[in-house]
Amino acid sequence: MRWPDGFIAVDWGTTNRRAYRLDPGGSCDGEFEDGQGVLSVTPEEFPEAVAEIRRRLGDLPLLLAGMVGSNRGWIEAPYVPCPAGLDDLAAHLVWPAEREAIVPGVSFVGDSRADVMRGEEVQLLGAVAAGHVPVDSLVCHPGTHNKWVVVENGRIESFRTVMTGELFNLLRQHSILADLLKTDAEPDEAFRRGVRHGLDRDDLTSDLFAVRARVLLGEARREDAASYTSGLLIGSDVRIGLSGNGATTVCVMGRPELTRLYAAAIREAGRDANELDGEQSFLSGIQAIATRI
Amino acid sequence: MRWPDGFIAVDWGTTNRRAYRLDPGGSCDGEFEDGQGVLSVTPEEFPEAVAEIRRRLGDLPLLLAGMVGSNRGWIEAPYVPCPAGLDDLAAHLVWPAEREAIVPGVSFVGDSRADVMRGEEVQLLGAVAAGHVPVDSLVCHPGTHNKWVVVENGRIESFRTVMTGELFNLLRQHSILADLLKTDAEPDEAFRRGVRHGLDRDDLTSDLFAVRARVLLGEARREDAASYTSGLLIGSDVRIGLSGNGATTVCVMGRPELTRLYAAAIREAGRDANELDGEQSFLSGIQAIATRI
């Protein structure tokens, strides 16, 4: 490794950034998180935003992942096409200066589709490198945009994005359903009922309006609306993700409040689900890329 | 008719109201439209908002339709269950006072579904009464919430709501696709390509994210994104609406900028489409109800 004194790893997203100081052995001995996401930093402000990270965690090299490498970020790191593994990411790092590198995202074009990811690839391949995800597997990575990722020989073979999280937030904040969706979704019976509808049917845009109609007509309880609606969206998402893939077990990676909902929906579809912590996988992945520099 | 001097018809929606003075023969001889929708009027303010209509159009009886009869409106007019015709609406008017009546909405419960409409029923049954829609037909009524209505023997037999318009507006105003959806959708080749995807597949929440990915990867033109996305949503909507109904011709009623998109999508699905003007149908319907009082 080119960086014998360790380095700082940054997961720099749209609305947040998380920075970790990794010692030469790969252990984290300092970290912080703040709201300086990519959208709150102008292109000219990135050098100062990077300097601030060093003031807080030490004068070390930086390895940056996430939307910081997008066309709204610091410097664009072009997508690496599938199939893509850790070697491919390391070979296509973009270097704004001698001691800062940006990890590229991954693209997929095929099956009459096109798709992109930026940030999830480090977590995902990190979990593979750490042995938590089999080298041939199906991974579900929920978030604002859920990713279904087919891993083959330890590389990302193909993937598909479903915008479930963003749609649920739009409905919750701005739609006619807003006043019914104030509570948090729980993996309860109303959620599973929604999941079964989402798995069976393909009428999501109609079923969503019916959430309100059912409450108005006394056919459903108001307090079940958030869980049921979340179930409809996640059930439809799981139907898309499992379609054409026979995996008996799905690895579900991300924040626990989301992975437990997806795991419940995947089990409702008759498959097994293994939940994994996304943050630890990010550290495994970024360390594995650093050793390849 | 109880009102020999004519009356004022009001189509009072969530964000707008349109008022028409109808003479004893049913001809409109005065009208206005303003932004005093139901959401901008508190319950106590309705008598004054009604008085203002009379100051502008004359001291006549009022027949009110739309969200003014909802639980967010003036006084709630409970839904009339399907099958529902003009006689049923007239028999269930709600009277806030002696010279004001509110038309009820219509509900449907069946096929494991529940649905409601409020406002569209007057236009729809008005078009049937005027002979513009056959007494046995399938009607598509696009708007914020598109309604697919099965008409039998001149009554609303069943219907289904798809929240296409609201979803498109949410995506356009608040989503990651917002900067791609600034232009207006046109029934062009990009629109028809989106329609074909929406008709064929059931992966809307994945296809929507792909709109951005396709542009980022150079697989689609940025200037086609709005028409293509509108086509995806309307194609999916038409798939739901035509499912299980063999009608060879669909009556499409509403604002011309929406009916032309739906008519193009319905033709892409291999059926014929007849476009109708919603405003004229509203006047036919409200006059037909008034004659039954």
Side-chain angles (χ1 to χ4, degrees):
Chain A
M1 176 154 107
R2 191 190 293 189
W3 296 333
D5 300 324
F7 67 101
I8 297 170
V10 187
D11 188 0
W12 206 327
T14 306
T15 53
N16 287 287
R17 64 175 179 182
R18 277 174 290 268
Y20 310 87
R21 185 177 58 223
L22 298 182
D23 70 19
S27 295
C28 176
D29 61 0
E31 61 180 279
F32 74 87
E33 174 174 356
D34 66 19
Q36 274 202 61
V38 163
L39 290 187
S40 71
V41 183
T42 64
E44 311 81 62
E45 292 170 340
F46 271 101
E48 169 53 26
V50 164
E52 194 213 346
I53 295 173
R54 287 207 172 96
R55 282 197 297 275
R56 294 176 72 168
L57 292 180
D59 186 28
L60 290 166
L62 262 73
L63 188 50
L64 312 155
M67 291 299 281
V68 67
S70 74
N71 59 6
R72 295 175 186 181
W74 187 11
I75 289 174
E76 191 166 354
Y79 297 103
V80 171
C82 284
L86 287 167
D87 290 338
D88 306 290
L89 297 184
H92 292 90
L93 294 175
V94 168
W95 295 82
E98 210 179 320
R99 296 204 308 154
E100 293 115 31
I102 300 179
V103 180
V106 178
S107 63
F108 172 77
V109 177
D111 306 339
S112 318
R113 296 193 300 107
D115 217 325
V116 292
M117 69 164 71
R118 199 179 278 281
E120 295 91 347
E121 66 290 338
V122 177
Q123 286 188 29
L124 186 103
L125 294 170
V128 176
H132 298 135
V133 164
V135 295
D136 294 293
S137 54
L138 177 63
V139 181
C140 168
H141 195 310
T144 306
H145 301 134
N146 182 35
K147 307 284 181 186
W148 290 91
V149 185
V150 176
V151 180
E152 282 185 24
N153 295 317
R155 298 166 87 197
I156 298 172
E157 179 68 20
S158 67
F159 64 94
R160 180 163 200 167
T161 306
V162 190
M163 58 192 293
T164 299
E166 180 166 7
L167 274 180
F168 189 67
N169 288 334
L170 290 176
L171 293 169
R172 187 173 222 172
Q173 290 168 23
H174 303 291
S175 83
I176 193 172
L177 300 179
D179 65 323
L180 289 172
L181 302 180
K182 293 300 178 207
T183 55
D184 285 329
E186 298 292 336
D188 54 14
E189 177 47 33
F191 175 83
R192 287 193 296 275
R193 199 162 53 241
V195 167
R196 288 192 293 273
H197 283 185
L199 287 171
D200 287 351
R201 307 200 298 211
D202 49 11
D203 302 342
L204 185 67
T205 46
S206 174
D207 288 338
L208 286 173
F209 182 82
V211 169
R212 179 165 178 271
R214 286 157 47 96
V215 171
L216 284 176
L217 298 175
E219 299 280 316
R221 300 191 311 169
R222 167 173 282 268
E223 57 267 35
D224 286 342
S227 291
Y228 176 78
T229 305
S230 172
L232 272 181
L233 282 161
I234 292 178
S236 172
D237 187 333
V238 168
R239 177 175 51 72
I240 293 170
L242 297 181
S243 156
N245 190 298
T248 53
T249 301
V250 179
C251 302
V252 188
M253 172 182 300
R255 290 185 291 124
E257 65 270 28
L258 284 178
T259 58
R260 69 186 185 130
L261 293 173
Y262 274 82
I266 288 165
R267 290 185 190 114
E268 200 69 32
R271 316 274 183 111
D272 274 343
N274 271 346
E275 292 181 62
L276 293 168
D277 183 299
E279 186 174 35
Q280 197 52 52
S281 301
F282 173 77
L283 293 178
S284 302
I286 206 84
Q287 173 72 15
I289 292 169
T291 60
R292 285 167 167 80
I293 294 177
Chain B
M1 176 155 108
R2 190 191 292 190
W3 296 334
D5 300 326
F7 66 101
I8 297 170
V10 186
D11 187 0
W12 206 327
T14 305
T15 52
N16 286 289
R17 65 174 178 181
R18 277 174 288 267
Y20 310 85
R21 185 177 58 224
L22 298 182
D23 69 19
S27 295
C28 176
D29 61 1
E31 62 180 279
F32 73 87
E33 175 174 355
D34 66 20
Q36 274 202 62
V38 163
L39 290 185
S40 70
V41 183
T42 65
E44 313 81 63
E45 292 171 340
F46 271 102
E48 170 53 26
V50 164
E52 195 214 345
I53 295 172
R54 287 206 172 96
R55 282 198 297 275
R56 294 175 72 168
L57 291 180
D59 187 28
L60 289 167
L62 261 74
L63 188 51
L64 311 156
M67 292 299 282
V68 67
S70 75
N71 59 5
R72 296 176 186 178
W74 185 12
I75 289 175
E76 191 165 355
Y79 296 103
V80 172
C82 286
L86 287 167
D87 290 339
D88 306 290
L89 297 184
H92 292 89
L93 293 176
V94 168
W95 294 81
E98 210 180 320
R99 296 205 309 155
E100 293 114 32
I102 300 179
V103 180
V106 178
S107 63
F108 173 77
V109 177
D111 306 339
S112 317
R113 296 192 300 106
D115 217 325
V116 291
M117 71 164 70
R118 202 179 275 284
E120 296 91 345
E121 67 290 338
V122 177
Q123 285 187 30
L124 186 102
L125 295 170
V128 176
H132 298 134
V133 164
V135 295
D136 295 294
S137 54
L138 177 63
V139 180
C140 169
H141 194 311
T144 306
H145 302 133
N146 182 33
K147 308 284 180 185
W148 290 91
V149 185
V150 176
V151 178
E152 284 183 24
N153 294 318
R155 298 166 85 196
I156 298 173
E157 179 68 20
S158 69
F159 63 95
R160 180 163 202 167
T161 306
V162 189
M163 59 193 291
T164 299
E166 180 165 8
L167 275 180
F168 188 67
N169 288 335
L170 290 175
L171 293 169
R172 187 174 221 171
Q173 289 167 23
H174 304 290
S175 83
I176 193 171
L177 300 180
D179 65 322
L180 289 172
L181 303 180
K182 293 301 177 206
T183 53
D184 285 328
E186 297 292 334
D188 54 15
E189 177 48 32
F191 175 82
R192 286 192 296 274
R193 199 161 54 239
V195 167
R196 288 193 292 273
H197 284 186
L199 287 171
D200 286 350
R201 308 200 296 214
D202 49 9
D203 302 341
L204 185 67
T205 46
S206 174
D207 288 338
L208 286 173
F209 182 83
V211 168
R212 180 165 175 271
R214 286 157 47 95
V215 171
L216 283 176
L217 298 175
E219 299 280 315
R221 299 191 311 168
R222 166 174 285 267
E223 57 267 36
D224 285 342
S227 290
Y228 176 77
T229 304
S230 172
L232 272 181
L233 282 161
I234 292 178
S236 172
D237 187 333
V238 168
R239 178 175 50 73
I240 293 170
L242 295 182
S243 157
N245 190 299
T248 52
T249 301
V250 179
C251 302
V252 188
M253 173 183 300
R255 289 185 291 123
E257 64 270 29
L258 284 177
T259 58
R260 69 186 185 131
L261 293 173
Y262 275 81
I266 288 166
R267 290 185 190 114
E268 200 69 32
R271 315 273 184 112
D272 273 343
N274 270 347
E275 293 180 63
L276 293 168
D277 183 298
E279 187 175 35
Q280 197 51 51
S281 301
F282 173 78
L283 293 177
S284 302
I286 206 82
Q287 173 72 15
I289 293 170
T291 60
R292 285 165 166 81
I293 295 179

